[in-house]
Amino acid sequence: LVDYFEDDERLFLDGQGERQAHQAANSAKWTNPSRKATAVSGSGSLEGKGPKVLNQISLEFSHTPLIRRTRSPQFVRELDWIDNDWPTKKRKAADYPQVQYYCLTSTAGCYTDFHLDFGGTSVWYSVLSGVKVFLLAPPTKSNLMTYEQWLCQKDQASVFLPDLDGMEDVIKVTLEQDQTLFIPSGWIHAVYTP
């Protein structure tokens, strides 16, 4: 992780010189779908010492006051199946997938391991403050097969996906304040907050 995210204050080498992932990588699995905020140990502490940090990764806010201050990019609205194709009658009755607007908040040192977004959705990230670093892999046959095998490994939390044979064309994108990133459906990605 140190090589990819270049943050040796929170991600570092252990005494034997082997790469170690921040404990957040081991804690990023969702165990309760109704509570998707994951508390993880320490910023930079593999031993679990230090303060807890919170990585809130799934707050849908379409029906909150925050929606009045938020508007998705034009091209997203043009592609949105819910806005464009969902039956009007069902939409007025709030009978539709409520997955259009998510607020994600992370403190420094938070890491969300490699994943595909649910339901094959495309997503857009807009950073209000701070920085997010993404590792992205296109949905090639080789990448998807390698990802599926990695998901089924018992030691998945200790294996860094891009290090596996079969992963190709992994790119790093750093998103800063007031920048927006669109991730197309099927792209495998991990997110780190330095």
Side-chain angles (χ1 to χ4, degrees), residues 1 5 7 9-11 21-28 36-45 51-57 104-115 131-135 190-194:
L1 287 176
F5 294 115
D7 187 352
E9 290 184 29
R10 293 182 187 88
L11 304 167
H22 186 280
Q23 212 164 0
N26 295 328
S27 303
K36 302 223 169 113
T38 305
V40 296
S41 293
S43 75
S45 170
K52 298 284 184 184
V53 293
L54 193 63
N55 189 17
Q56 184 279 119
I57 55 176
L104 292 80
T105 55
S106 303
T107 58
C110 285
Y111 174 76
T112 302
D113 213 346
F114 286 91
H115 63 283
V131 175
K132 288 278 190 193
V133 181
F134 296 81
L135 292 182
V191 188
Y192 177 64
T193 306

Side-chain angles (χ1 to χ4, degrees), residues 122-155:
S122 299
V123 296
W124 58 278
Y125 286 85
S126 193
V127 175
L128 295 179
S129 67
V131 175
K132 288 278 190 193
V133 181
F134 296 81
L135 292 182
L136 303 129
T140 64
K141 184 175 182 177
S142 179
N143 283 349
L144 292 171
M145 285 177 48
T146 305
Y147 174 70
E148 182 179 1
Q149 292 166 356
W150 174 77
L151 281 177
C152 295
Q153 287 183 228
K154 288 181 182 180
D155 64 344

Side-chain angles (χ1 to χ4, degrees), residues 31 71 92 98 104-105 124 136 165 172 183 188:
T31 55
R71 186 172 171 108
K92 286 182 179 178
Q98 296 183 17
L104 292 80
T105 55
W124 58 278
L136 303 129
D165 289 336
K172 176 182 171 181
I183 302 177
I188 304 161

Side-chain angles (χ1 to χ4, degrees), residues 160-189:
F160 192 57
L161 182 63
D163 289 342
L164 296 177
D165 289 336
M167 286 304 294
E168 56 191 18
D169 302 323
V170 177
I171 60 170
K172 176 182 171 181
V173 175
T174 300
L175 198 61
E176 297 179 353
Q177 184 173 335
D178 298 327
Q179 292 182 326
T180 298
L181 172 69
F182 177 76
I183 302 177
S185 177
W187 280 62
I188 304 161
H189 57 282

